[in-house]
Amino acid sequence: MAAPKENLLMEKIVSLCKRRGFIFQSSEIYGGINGFWDYGPLGAELKRNVKELWWNTMTRQREDVAGLEATIIMSPEIWKASGHVATFSDPMIDCKTCKGRFRADQINEIPCLQKPSKTVSECHGEKTAPRAFNLMFQTYVGPVQDESAIAYLRPETAQAIFAQFKNVLETSRQKVPFGIAQVGKAFRNEVTPRNYTFRSREFEQMELEFFIKPDEAVEAIAGAVSTPATKGHPGEPQPAWGWQLWHQYWVEERIKFYEGIGLPRTTLEEYWQKPEELAHYARATVDILFKFPFGTQELEGIAARSDFDLSQHERFSGKPMGVFDDELRTAWGKLPKEKQDDLWKRYYENRKRYLEKSGVAAEQASKDATEDANGLAKGQYIPHVIEPSAGVDRLILALICNAYSEVTDTDDKGKSETRVILRFHPRVAPIKVGVMPLLKNKPDLVKKAEEVRDRLRPWMNVFYDDTGSIGRRYARQDEAGTPFCVTIDFETLGEQGEELKDTVTVRHRDDGKQERIKIAALLDWLLPKVR
Amino acid sequence: MAAPKENLLMEKIVSLCKRRGFIFQSSEIYGGINGFWDYGPLGAELKRNVKELWWNTMTRQREDVAGLEATIIMSPEIWKASGHVATFSDPMIDCKTCKGRFRADQINEIPCLQKPSKTVSECHGEKTAPRAFNLMFQTYVGPVQDESAIAYLRPETAQAIFAQFKNVLETSRQKVPFGIAQVGKAFRNEVTPRNYTFRSREFEQMELEFFIKPDEAVEAIAGAVSTPATKGHPGEPQPAWGWQLWHQYWVEERIKFYEGIGLPRTTLEEYWQKPEELAHYARATVDILFKFPFGTQELEGIAARSDFDLSQHERFSGKPMGVFDDELRTAWGKLPKEKQDDLWKRYYENRKRYLEKSGVAAEQASKDATEDANGLAKGQYIPHVIEPSAGVDRLILALICNAYSEVTDTDDKGKSETRVILRFHPRVAPIKVGVMPLLKNKPDLVKKAEEVRDRLRPWMNVFYDDTGSIGRRYARQDEAGTPFCVTIDFETLGEQGEELKDTVTVRHRDDGKQERIKIAALLDWLLPKVR
């Protein structure tokens, strides 16, 4: 539970977001809709910048990741394979008296609908036993609304990546290890959306599935598997890396990403899930947490998911999800028999464990696992996966919370005014530069300011403002998080001598300092700072 | 109906899109899901580029447009106000014999499910009367699935813009005329998805709602309303423009956009809807059509929607949607009484017509319209809107169809090979440049090639390829639509003299021509071509 001071801070942030057009309640004029939020002009730019930076960092700047953009509605079979149809649910209790429906784990907190002085568990209403309530939004595709037409809005973007794994592999000239990245909307019918945009029913994810060789294949090829214990710290990707090093590598990459867009390391925490907290398919999961005013909460989870997902889709679709690895096949042939047997056995055990866990009968599981392990000799295996999965909306909220600061200015007469500065990293800031003629009624200033604006605009988001005192205009840009303001003044026109002609005042948001820069040099000065 | 030659062309395009990772069938491993398509690595890049160019052109490069990113699920009240709940439907007929459900307007074409030699209208099955089948996907929000929890996936992005009109206006420092732009997914449960990705059930839109003064306000301020007849052709936006000039302006802007991303004017057609084709709220609609292989079909519609949408939301939400215009208030006070009366009367008539059409009783409509018209004197009105609404997916398909070409190379021995070149405009091309060391087993070439790659990569999407003959590699990039290939060869290393040292071969996709460019000058040479 956040302390009152933190609650006050959140209130201020929510109010600023509405006032400056970062975030609005969805359908506000109709009283809103619980768990849905819209991004206004500044919020939409902020979000675009963050998604674009993620995409650039994860795909375009790397050799080993390809992109994907899949649909939100997919075959319902996908959600059977992933386990979401069977288990993606909260247990709910119905009260037959008040007709309310409540999460079973919250009946000791939630007030009764008829007697709010009592909790649901204390009231006398007759209650049903807990029943599973699936969190996927359901709809029907096609003209007939029957069982066969049921479809779901995806509760995560990851599964599309697994379902299209083979298509991407075959068309992208990648080979394992490589990743597939996707950004897109996902939906969860949360019973209790809360903490502003942090837990919403409609949200956006940025997910990478990074496919790696199983450790047995690495060992066959490289002779031994590097682990954090043997190798310590990941430097350049290495052919000998096992899943643990790949996992650690991605944790560090992702933290670098957050630092690179302005979340200091001190605002982040790394949380290694305990064995009993891990999802059944996960070998390890690290949560990257951010210190929100309402508590320290997850921004991203980085899970080592073994070969669970591809295996499930292979079982459910009947389509092979394994890859062929020439290097493994060659290496295998050169291994001594005992080594082959040892690797075979370990791979077999892992596959059998997976199959039995997934409900395959023991005899069939042994048979299938044998076949899987026999594949190694032919260079075949099902890749394992490391999944860095980030939430866009909670990252936007983290960036706003982190950027929020107040300063108090006191004027000559001792009158104080407190105002907000959003200290966004220039890379994510919605507006990169404010361009302002000192006075709007001097055509020479206006003409020059428009020239400067038009010179910068093809390269970055510019806000042109000629209204009000220059101090007011700076303050407005501070509140929007604009890192730089450029003012065109009489010096620019050459009225204070040749030296200052065609220079502008560049004012820095965070310390208010000003410097003069030549118009001809301005773009080159700004560009590396805002990209 | 497309001729066989066009069908063959579409088949080739569909096959290329799958083979090169532009477009996959959604959930393909599970047999697919009708009307849903995924974008693979090249398709995802192509789509990102198109959306980014639209957003830049429509918002960042303009003073008068703000962005928005709203949710897909909104309050169901929005779709009551917009008319979608009541009227966004196709008439369907059920056959009680075969249990099929068919679009009433297609029963003369569709074969009977039991006797395919007959059409549905010919067969003897007992049929129901046509019933309205709503095209919105429906779901439930929250834990209880009852009437009050029904929600819809938005069938268009436009309505969110209208619902948030006031929030954007109040936070963005814009005033009428100005626009709100949005890119995002929309969903229509089409009975017959067809023509590949052209008509899908899940698709993406790029919509601008551009809000303008009603003509009566323009006339009050400017003395007269400019029309295409009085003014001819829109140059710079003018305060005297009426809705017809704004409409024409946007038609021309949008055609310029398509030309700017590589669709020649000759592939486009402008279709002015006839009065009997217009939607009930539209004063005029222009469709921009593209000549697809399967027929000439709509890419974008540009509708003059009067003040219908904001008026509906005002009526349904009870929240005022009008704006206050100081210029109008001042101008109005200076008008002669007869002029005021004339404008008042015209505005009144328009409002009354809208209200009566919307089902408001005559007496109430008169009363409300009187109040609306009285607002003019206080500078108040409900803005009119021009809506350029484009489909992303059909634009992607148009770009691919337009880019598709085949060339036949004949070698020394007279052996011919036909291969594909996708002649994308460099601005939209998924990969901007291929970077290739002439030989992969020469460390000096590889090192230099990696340097070139790393120099370009922060600025554009680069594909590094060192596998196969250089001719093969060029052909692969031609097929992906990459406009430029850069080869690092022995000249680059200075082995053919100082003059050629640190230059590379730049090879042009469309004519195969090559030129040598200094590595130091390469980025500046490429950047203006691909942005």
Side-chain angles (χ1 to χ4, degrees):
Chain A
M1 204 63 174
K5 205 183 95 193
E6 278 70 37
N7 285 338
L8 179 64
L9 175 57
M10 271 315 289
E11 267 174 44
K12 285 177 172 179
I13 287 171
V14 170
S15 152
L16 177 85
C17 284
K18 163 91 199 268
R19 183 161 51 82
R20 288 310 307 261
F22 282 93
I23 298 169
F24 307 131
Q25 198 181 8
S26 168
S27 318
E28 189 191 300
I29 59 171
Y30 292 101
I33 172 167
N34 192 11
F36 296 87
W37 300 92
D38 290 353
Y39 291 87
L42 291 182
E45 286 292 338
L46 177 61
K47 203 172 170 213
R48 289 184 81 85
N49 291 342
V50 166
K51 288 190 281 183
E52 190 68 14
L53 283 164
W54 186 90
W55 184 265
N56 265 329
T57 307
M58 299 301 254
T59 72
R60 291 181 180 166
Q61 302 303 314
R62 298 183 65 101
E63 286 292 291
D64 57 357
V65 176
L68 180 71
E69 196 184 313
T71 52
I72 290 167
I73 293 178
M74 299 188 285
S75 164
E77 299 304 313
I78 285 179
W79 308 111
K80 291 178 190 158
S82 69
H84 283 84
V85 169
T87 62
F88 190 60
S89 56
D90 281 339
M92 303 291 293
I93 281 170
D94 284 327
C95 176
K96 293 182 181 170
T97 310
C98 77
K99 309 289 179 206
R101 180 169 285 177
F102 310 97
R103 253 173 66 176
D105 60 345
Q106 294 181 338
I107 57 171
N108 295 325
E109 305 156 29
I110 294 178
C112 166
L113 297 185
Q114 290 183 345
K115 289 192 186 167
S117 61
K118 298 195 166 186
T119 67
V120 172
S121 67
E122 291 164 345
C123 81
H124 294 305
E126 191 193 341
K127 317 224 170 49
T128 63
R131 284 182 300 191
F133 167 72
N134 198 293
L135 296 181
M136 288 195 291
F137 285 100
Q138 190 183 300
T139 190
Y140 295 97
V141 172
V144 184
Q145 296 204 351
D146 64 13
E147 195 70 17
S148 73
I150 288 178
Y152 306 96
L153 306 192
R154 64 180 175 200
E156 60 175 40
T157 59
Q159 293 305 322
I161 295 178
F162 298 122
Q164 294 289 14
F165 168 71
K166 275 307 197 63
N167 270 335
V168 174
L169 178 69
E170 282 156 18
T171 59
S172 67
R173 300 184 67 76
Q174 294 285 355
K175 53 185 192 171
V176 176
F178 82 103
I180 304 176
Q182 181 171 225
V183 177
K185 287 277 178 98
F187 298 78
R188 294 180 189 178
N189 198 0
E190 300 281 353
V191 179
T192 326
R194 64 203 146 100
N195 287 332
Y196 197 28
T197 59
F198 182 82
R199 189 174 301 281
S200 307
R201 285 169 167 161
E202 177 174 337
F203 54 99
E204 198 151 7
Q205 291 187 306
M206 307 186 288
E207 294 197 307
L208 171 71
E209 306 300 326
F210 195 82
F211 300 96
I212 58 175
K213 297 177 166 78
D215 277 10
E216 292 80 10
V218 173
E219 197 172 330
I221 294 165
V225 172
S226 296
T227 67
T230 62
K231 174 137 190 322
H233 201 79
E236 278 297 290
Q238 295 290 339
W241 283 11
W243 72 265
Q244 286 178 300
L245 265 179
W246 275 114
H247 187 225
Q248 192 184 321
Y249 166 81
W250 277 112
V251 172
E252 292 177 15
E253 283 296 300
R254 296 302 303 143
I255 288 176
K256 263 193 255 166
F257 174 80
Y258 290 118
E259 291 187 284
I261 59 172
L263 295 182
R265 191 65 184 79
T266 50
T267 66
L268 302 171
E269 269 179 31
E270 229 178 85
Y271 177 76
W272 288 73
Q273 288 189 12
K274 302 190 184 73
E276 67 272 21
E277 294 172 311
L278 290 174
H280 62 98
Y281 48 73
R283 290 185 164 183
T285 298
V286 173
D287 294 334
I288 299 177
L289 315 174
F290 175 79
K291 293 170 186 164
F292 287 98
F294 48 80
T296 300
Q297 298 270 1
E298 183 187 344
L299 278 187
E300 169 155 355
I302 300 148
R305 297 172 68 103
S306 74
D307 56 3
F308 174 79
D309 303 280
L310 290 179
S311 301
Q312 286 288 102
H313 287 296
E314 179 169 289
R315 282 215 301 127
F316 277 73
S317 72
K319 301 287 193 312
M321 284 291 166
V323 300
F324 170 74
D325 187 326
D326 203 32
E327 220 184 343
L328 169 61
R329 196 180 54 90
T330 309
W332 190 269
K334 297 176 185 160
L335 291 179
K337 179 75 169 53
E338 313 84 77
K339 186 73 182 176
Q340 287 179 347
D341 289 349
D342 172 41
L343 292 172
W344 189 99
K345 188 147 187 295
R346 278 189 269 149
Y347 195 74
Y348 167 85
E349 294 294 349
N350 280 333
R351 294 297 302 161
K352 187 155 158 277
R353 199 174 312 124
Y354 153 72
L355 289 163
E356 284 181 350
K357 258 192 177 171
S358 306
V360 177
E363 199 182 342
Q364 186 66 39
S366 295
K367 213 175 133 218
D368 291 354
T370 301
E371 200 179 303
D372 293 343
N374 288 344
L376 285 181
K378 299 174 219 152
Q380 281 162 6
Y381 54 79
I382 292 182
H384 285 229
V385 69
I386 309 292
E387 176 193 82
S389 165
V392 182
D393 308 85
R394 43 185 67 181
L395 175 51
I396 297 302
L397 187 56
L399 289 169
I400 293 173
C401 290
N402 182 65
Y404 187 93
S405 64
E406 294 177 352
V407 290
T408 302
D409 303 327
T410 307
D411 69 11
D412 304 345
K413 293 163 194 150
K415 207 181 136 195
S416 297
E417 191 190 26
T418 297
R419 58 191 189 82
V420 173
I421 303 183
L422 286 184
R423 300 182 193 277
F424 289 127
H425 192 293
R427 279 204 195 104
V428 298
I431 302 166
K432 304 305 185 190
V433 56
V435 173
M436 307 164 178
L438 185 63
L439 299 169
K440 76 185 285 190
N441 56 3
K442 299 283 175 193
D444 288 356
L445 289 177
V446 170
K447 184 160 169 276
K448 205 75 184 172
E450 287 173 350
E451 271 174 41
V452 171
R453 175 195 69 190
D454 295 344
R455 187 188 277 254
L456 301 178
R457 182 167 273 169
W459 297 90
M460 63 190 73
N461 200 26
V462 177
F463 193 89
Y464 183 85
D465 192 358
D466 59 8
T467 316
S469 77
I470 199 78
R472 245 319 104 216
R473 283 182 265 169
Y474 287 157
R476 279 202 291 261
Q477 291 307 313
D478 286 348
E479 213 180 46
T482 308
F484 307 106
C485 284
V486 168
T487 303
I488 288 78
D489 48 27
F490 294 108
E491 284 86 337
T492 315
L493 301 180
E495 297 190 4
Q496 312 295 318
E498 270 307 305
E499 185 126 337
L500 292 176
K501 195 178 172 203
D502 285 325
T503 65
V504 290
T505 300
V506 176
R507 185 243 183 206
H508 294 251
R509 174 195 64 202
D510 292 343
D511 55 14
K513 286 204 180 123
Q514 307 195 348
E515 57 183 308
R516 289 204 77 87
I517 294 181
K518 279 203 174 304
I519 291 174
L522 190 58
L523 180 62
D524 284 344
W525 186 90
L526 280 167
L527 213 44
K529 294 181 176 63
V530 302
R531 286 187 88 247
Chain B
M1 207 61 174
K5 204 183 95 195
E6 278 71 39
N7 284 339
L8 179 64
L9 175 57
M10 268 317 288
E11 266 175 46
K12 287 178 172 179
I13 287 171
V14 170
S15 153
L16 176 84
C17 283
K18 163 91 199 267
R19 181 161 53 82
R20 289 310 307 259
F22 282 94
I23 298 170
F24 306 132
Q25 198 181 8
S26 169
S27 316
E28 187 190 301
I29 59 172
Y30 292 101
I33 172 168
N34 191 10
F36 296 86
W37 299 93
D38 290 352
Y39 291 87
L42 290 182
E45 287 292 338
L46 177 61
K47 203 171 169 212
R48 290 185 80 84
N49 292 342
V50 166
K51 289 191 281 184
E52 191 67 14
L53 283 165
W54 187 90
W55 184 265
N56 266 328
T57 308
M58 299 301 254
T59 73
R60 290 181 180 167
Q61 301 303 316
R62 298 182 65 101
E63 286 291 291
D64 57 358
V65 176
L68 180 70
E69 195 183 314
T71 53
I72 290 167
I73 294 178
M74 300 188 283
S75 164
E77 299 304 313
I78 285 178
W79 308 111
K80 291 177 190 159
S82 70
H84 283 83
V85 169
T87 62
F88 191 60
S89 55
D90 280 340
M92 303 291 292
I93 281 170
D94 284 328
C95 175
K96 292 180 184 174
T97 311
C98 76
K99 308 292 178 204
R101 179 169 288 178
F102 309 96
R103 252 174 67 177
D105 60 345
Q106 295 181 337
I107 56 171
N108 295 326
E109 306 156 28
I110 295 178
C112 167
L113 297 186
Q114 291 183 344
K115 291 194 185 164
S117 61
K118 298 195 167 185
T119 66
V120 172
S121 66
E122 293 163 344
C123 82
H124 293 306
E126 190 194 341
K127 316 222 173 49
T128 63
R131 283 181 301 191
F133 167 70
N134 198 292
L135 296 180
M136 288 194 291
F137 284 100
Q138 189 181 300
T139 189
Y140 295 97
V141 172
V144 184
Q145 298 204 350
D146 63 13
E147 195 71 17
S148 73
I150 288 178
Y152 306 97
L153 306 191
R154 64 180 176 199
E156 61 174 40
T157 59
Q159 292 304 321
I161 294 178
F162 298 123
Q164 293 290 13
F165 168 70
K166 275 305 196 66
N167 271 334
V168 174
L169 178 68
E170 281 158 17
T171 60
S172 65
R173 302 184 66 75
Q174 294 284 357
K175 52 186 195 171
V176 176
F178 82 104
I180 304 176
Q182 182 171 226
V183 177
K185 287 277 179 96
F187 298 78
R188 294 180 189 178
N189 198 1
E190 299 282 354
V191 178
T192 326
R194 64 201 146 100
N195 287 332
Y196 197 27
T197 59
F198 182 82
R199 189 175 301 281
S200 307
R201 285 169 167 159
E202 177 174 338
F203 55 99
E204 198 150 7
Q205 292 186 306
M206 308 186 287
E207 294 197 308
L208 171 71
E209 306 299 326
F210 195 82
F211 300 96
I212 58 175
K213 296 177 166 78
D215 278 9
E216 292 80 8
V218 173
E219 196 172 330
I221 294 166
V225 172
S226 296
T227 67
T230 62
K231 175 137 188 324
H233 202 79
E236 277 297 293
Q238 294 290 338
W241 283 12
W243 72 265
Q244 285 178 299
L245 265 178
W246 275 114
H247 187 226
Q248 192 184 320
Y249 166 81
W250 277 113
V251 172
E252 292 178 13
E253 283 297 299
R254 296 303 303 143
I255 288 176
K256 264 193 256 169
F257 175 80
Y258 290 118
E259 291 187 284
I261 60 173
L263 296 183
R265 190 65 184 81
T266 50
T267 66
L268 301 172
E269 270 180 29
E270 229 178 87
Y271 178 76
W272 288 73
Q273 289 188 12
K274 301 189 184 75
E276 65 273 20
E277 294 174 311
L278 291 173
H280 61 97
Y281 49 74
R283 289 185 165 182
T285 298
V286 172
D287 294 334
I288 299 176
L289 314 174
F290 175 79
K291 294 169 185 164
F292 286 98
F294 47 80
T296 300
Q297 296 271 1
E298 182 188 345
L299 280 187
E300 169 156 354
I302 299 148
R305 297 170 68 102
S306 74
D307 55 3
F308 173 79
D309 303 278
L310 290 180
S311 300
Q312 285 289 100
H313 287 295
E314 178 170 289
R315 281 215 302 128
F316 277 73
S317 72
K319 302 285 193 312
M321 285 291 167
V323 300
F324 171 74
D325 187 326
D326 203 31
E327 219 183 344
L328 170 60
R329 196 180 54 90
T330 309
W332 189 271
K334 294 178 185 161
L335 293 178
K337 180 73 170 56
E338 313 84 78
K339 186 76 180 176
Q340 287 179 348
D341 289 349
D342 172 44
L343 293 172
W344 189 99
K345 189 149 187 296
R346 279 189 269 148
Y347 195 73
Y348 167 87
E349 294 293 349
N350 280 334
R351 294 297 302 163
K352 187 155 158 277
R353 197 174 313 122
Y354 153 73
L355 289 163
E356 285 181 351
K357 258 192 180 172
S358 307
V360 177
E363 200 183 342
Q364 186 66 37
S366 294
K367 214 177 130 215
D368 291 354
T370 301
E371 200 179 304
D372 293 343
N374 288 343
L376 285 182
K378 298 175 221 152
Q380 281 162 7
Y381 55 78
I382 293 182
H384 285 229
V385 69
I386 308 293
E387 177 193 81
S389 166
V392 182
D393 307 85
R394 43 186 65 180
L395 175 51
I396 298 302
L397 187 56
L399 289 169
I400 292 173
C401 291
N402 182 65
Y404 188 92
S405 63
E406 295 177 351
V407 288
T408 302
D409 302 327
T410 308
D411 69 10
D412 305 345
K413 292 162 194 150
K415 205 181 139 198
S416 297
E417 190 190 27
T418 297
R419 58 190 189 82
V420 173
I421 303 182
L422 286 184
R423 302 182 192 275
F424 288 128
H425 191 292
R427 280 204 194 104
V428 299
I431 301 166
K432 304 306 184 191
V433 58
V435 174
M436 307 165 177
L438 185 63
L439 299 169
K440 76 188 283 191
N441 55 2
K442 299 284 175 195
D444 288 355
L445 288 177
V446 170
K447 184 159 168 278
K448 207 74 184 171
E450 286 174 350
E451 272 173 40
V452 171
R453 175 195 70 189
D454 294 343
R455 187 188 276 254
L456 301 179
R457 182 168 273 170
W459 297 90
M460 64 191 71
N461 200 27
V462 177
F463 194 89
Y464 183 85
D465 192 357
D466 59 8
T467 316
S469 77
I470 200 76
R472 243 321 103 219
R473 283 183 264 168
Y474 287 157
R476 279 201 291 263
Q477 291 307 313
D478 286 349
E479 213 180 46
T482 308
F484 307 105
C485 283
V486 168
T487 302
I488 289 78
D489 48 27
F490 293 109
E491 284 87 337
T492 316
L493 300 179
E495 297 189 6
Q496 311 296 318
E498 270 306 304
E499 186 128 336
L500 292 176
K501 194 179 173 205
D502 286 327
T503 65
V504 290
T505 300
V506 176
R507 184 241 183 208
H508 295 250
R509 174 194 64 203
D510 292 342
D511 55 13
K513 287 206 178 123
Q514 307 195 350
E515 57 184 308
R516 288 204 78 86
I517 294 182
K518 280 202 172 305
I519 291 175
L522 190 58
L523 180 61
D524 284 344
W525 186 89
L526 280 168
L527 213 44
K529 295 182 175 60
V530 303
R531 285 186 90 249

